[in-house]
Every structure is written in structure tokens, then in C-alpha cells.
Amino acid sequence: MTRCKKSILIIVMMSLPTLVSAASVYETQMEFLSRAFGEPQPTPNIIWLSGERKSSVQQMLGHDYPAMRLRYWCQAKRSAWVLEEIGKELPITIGVIIDHNYIQSLRVLTYRENRGGEVATPAFSDQFNGVALGADGALAAKIDGISGATLSVHALTRLANMALFLHAETGCTDGS
Amino acid sequence: MVRKIPKRSTTRRLHRFLGAGAAVFIVFMVLSGITINHSNRLGLAQGRVSQAFLLDWYGLEGPEYIHSFAVGNDWISFAGSQLYFNDKAVSTVTSGLGAVASHGMLVAAGSEELILIDNDGQLIERIPWTSRGAGPIESIGLLADGSVVVRSAGQFWSADAELLSWQRAGDTVNTRSWSIPGSAPAILQQHIVQHYRGDGLSLQRLLLDFHSGRIFGSVGVVIYDLLALAIGFLAISGLVLWLRGRRNGNRKR
């Protein structure tokens, strides 16, 4: 390999830190479910993203959700969701607990991007607490952004919207 | 009377020479800069480069290994950290171990997750395994009744038809088969290598490197610096020429 090519390769490797950046795991799925329901945890259910439901989710995210089905946990009109959405280049995994159509808690479980990790702080994610869907199907409250983490903020906002929509779709609020 | 031809100044000649030389560069920088500003909306971060000469130029190589598993008439392959359904990339995966078909779904096992795919290669669900508190998956197979069985940390786990819940399956299980790698067709392996290499270089990265000159290495950066200085000179020389012309115009009046 020529010196020129070697130098380009080094530059590329330096400029693609996302390829080597390690994911930050703030909470595992098991810890999240324990926090949501304690012990014993409810058995998981499945909701398929197809038909009109798929179109609605696509409209919220601006693209298809990268899975055809989602599992959720429902108990006493509360549901728990583990969802993923790409911030800039890599997926952010979040855990959302919804109680009677209101977000009880939204937390980042795993953050993989190399910038914008501030969205994992409670100072940001607590803004979602108590938020429900408005009449227009969007979040009824305004979520303040974070400078330098705009895409991650938007990703979490979209997922919060999606979780509230899916919660209503499951009928978990009806106790089913 | 002989008409006197005005003598062109050095500044004017330099301005003209550098202006003509930098015109193409300026247009390119303007267009690439605008495109970079809107790269998120244009989806350039997700777009991938597929041209072989560019991938060669960047030194991007194929995966260290490709492990393929025959599932019915299709192939599930693990190339590095990428899972493929035939030649279609489906998802990332940690240390691919095997794949089976069960109850109308294809189930691919990585050491830390199970990935469910339909018969068209669409991702159905990604099931994290180690977050359940269990050890890494070691192998995947089918029980005699066609349901999925997984060996994890020396223990056997079996699932229901929808792979919603898992139970310990005892110390010995009546398996129909364990998934073992096979030899995928050479043409399929070539397609996978081509796709894998392209996955390492986004259109956004390529454009940024062109915009900064890094695509041509340290020499390119120096050349771009010189062109940037030339543009700076053009701004100053243009101002000087304008002021000079204005002053000469006043004198004539």
C-alpha cells in the first residue's frame, strides 16, 4: 500500500469514530422491566406493525420501524416498551413506561452515537414524564432540545410519540 | 496619433489568472458545502458507496469471515458483524452462530441475540438474549417437535412457537438437528463481500472528504489550503482593483 493510501486510511479511521465507539449501557432490559413491574414480571405480548398501524408509525418516524413486530409488557393498565431509533447513524435504545395513556418514565437504555449522549440524563428525559398524546396525535407537551444533540432529541421525541400510540392500540389501558 | 495601450498591472493579471483557476474549485465547494449542510435531509449518512475503485482507494476490505447456513432454499450468512438473508443485509449481529427455520420464521442466532426474519428476509424482531441474565448463546437447533432450542452457558432453553417465552429444557434434549455451517455458492459470497465493503463508507463521509481535500491525503489538504488562500487573495485583489478603477475614474472627471 502506498504512503498516500496509508495516510488516507488513517484519516478515514480517525474520522469514523462511530465504527469503534463503544455503546453506553445505562440500564439492561431486565433492570428496566424490574423497575417497571417489580417481581414477578408479566409475560410479554406482541403487537404487529402492519396495515394502518404500520402507516401511522411510518408517519411518526418518517420511515418504517425496522421490525415487523414489537413485544411489550402490560399489567394493571401500565405498559412497558423497549424501542429503537437512529439518532444520526446508530440506534438509540429506550425504555418507556406508560400508565393510563401518560408517560410515566422514559429512559435511554443504550446509547451508541459518539455525540449527543446528554439525552440519557434524567434532566432531559424527565421532560417526558406525564406527557400524553394531543388531539392531533402528537405529544401534547413541548420537549426542550439540547444544543449538539438535536437529532437524538428528535429521535427520542418520535419514539415517545410512537410508544403512546402503540399503548392505545394494544388496549392495555382497558385492562386487556 | 498612435493610441496608447494601457499597461495591465501585476495585480490585475494575478487576479485574472487565479480567478480563472479557482472558478471550478469555488463552484465545487459551494455545491458540496450546500449538500453537506442538508446531508441529514438527503439521507447521505445512511447512503453507502458501492463503487469498487472508491472502496479500494479507501482501503476497505471484505469481512474476515463469512459463515453461511442453509435454511430451506435460502442462505443465512454472518459476515463480520452483519447478518445477510441471501445477499440482502438484514441486521447487525454479535458473533453469528447458526440459523434454523421454525413455524414459518427464520431464526438466526448471535452470541447475544436472536434475530427473527420472515421468508422474504424482512426483520420481524430482534430478541436480546444476554439482557435476560442468561449467558451467551453457544448454538441453536430444532427440537423433535420443530420448536427452537438454544444452548446457552451449557444449559438448554426451548421457546414457544412465537418465541415469546423461554423455558429451561433440562440437561438433555431430544433434538432433531443443530445448525451447522455449509458452503454457500461463490457468487453469493461475492455479493456479500461487495455489500459489506460498501457498508463501511457513507456518501456523507465521501463528500466531506472531497470537500476538505482529505480524499487525496495530506497533499490534498495542502492543495485545498492553497486554493483557499487564492480565494482570499481574489477578494483582496478584487477590492484593490475596484478602488483603483474608482480613483482613476475620478481623475478623468
Side-chain angles (χ1 to χ4, degrees), chain B residues 21-44:
Chain B
V24 175
F25 176 72
I26 293 170
V27 170
F28 169 73
M29 292 301 278
V30 167
L31 292 177
S32 58
I34 290 171
T35 311
I36 288 167
N37 269 353
H38 298 277
S39 60
N40 289 323
R41 199 181 303 164
L42 295 170
L44 296 184

Side-chain angles (χ1 to χ4, degrees), chain A residues 4-5 7-9 11-12 15-16 28-30 44-46 48 66-69 71 86 88-89 151, chain B residues 40 45-46 57-58 116 118 122-125 127-128 131-133 162-164 200 204-205 214-217:
Chain A
C4 182
K5 280 189 179 178
S7 61
I8 288 179
L9 187 60
I11 289 166
V12 171
S15 59
L16 290 174
T28 65
Q29 182 174 304
M30 209 165 66
N45 299 296
I46 278 179
W48 288 87
M68 293 166 69
R69 77 179 197 188
R71 69 182 57 203
I86 290 176
K88 184 173 174 61
E89 291 181 333
L151 294 176
Chain B
N40 289 323
Q46 285 76 41
W57 179 251
Y58 271 84
L116 313 188
D118 74 0
Q122 298 291 320
L123 179 69
I124 295 175
E125 192 188 0
I127 305 173
S131 66
R132 299 155 45 90
E162 294 210 90
L163 278 82
L164 264 178
Q204 186 183 42
R205 171 51 48 201
R214 289 195 178 97
I215 187 82
F216 304 113

Side-chain angles (χ1 to χ4, degrees), chain B residues 6 9-10 37 40 50 67 118 150 167 178 181 186 198 200 202 211 230 234 239 244 251:
Chain B
S9 70
T10 310
N37 269 353
N40 289 323
S50 59
H67 294 157
D118 74 0
V150 157
Q167 299 87 33
W178 288 103
S202 70
H211 190 76
L234 285 172
L239 191 64
R244 197 182 286 170
R251 271 188 200 155

